[in-house]
Amino acid sequence: MDESRQDQPKKEENAVKDRPLDIFLSHELRTPLTSIMGYAELMLNDPLLGEEARKKFVQIIINEGERLSRVIAHLCDEAKKQQSSPPQEDQMQ
């Protein structure tokens, strides 16, 4: 695994913590989902797509699915942390 792929889970974890939820959901969830759907539709609708291209697209779909899974796991972890931590002053007003 190259260095940029090794850093990806940490970047995704930081994205959960550092962004407002609406921006996070818009980018970190929609981007991999859009990629998965686009490559799957291309594979379905292009009967002339070669075997090498299909393998490449399947690998992209797998990678993006794994990315989406990690992001969702981080989001769930953050939600659990927020539920278990005491309310902050600005939340009590």
Side-chain angles (χ1 to χ4, degrees), residues 1-12 70:
M1 185 184 303
D2 67 6
E3 189 174 320
S4 65
R5 292 232 4 173
Q6 289 175 337
D7 293 340
Q8 194 63 31
K10 188 66 175 169
K11 288 178 184 176
E12 291 163 357
R70 286 190 308 269

Side-chain angles (χ1 to χ4, degrees), residues 35-36 38-63:
S35 182
I36 290 167
Y39 282 106
E41 287 176 15
L42 182 60
M43 290 173 61
L44 181 67
N45 295 325
D46 188 351
L48 301 178
L49 196 62
E51 187 63 26
E52 278 302 309
R54 285 189 185 281
K55 286 180 182 179
K56 179 181 176 183
F57 294 168
V58 167
Q59 189 59 57
I60 291 169
I61 290 169
I62 290 169
N63 292 345

Side-chain angles (χ1 to χ4, degrees), residues 14-48:
N14 289 337
V16 173
K17 295 176 186 175
D18 297 341
R19 291 188 189 168
L21 186 59
D22 59 339
I23 294 171
F24 168 79
L25 291 174
S26 178
H27 178 73
E28 296 298 326
L29 294 179
R30 284 187 178 174
T31 300
L33 186 57
T34 300
S35 182
I36 290 167
M37 292 173 61
Y39 282 106
E41 287 176 15
L42 182 60
M43 290 173 61
L44 181 67
N45 295 325
D46 188 351
L48 301 178

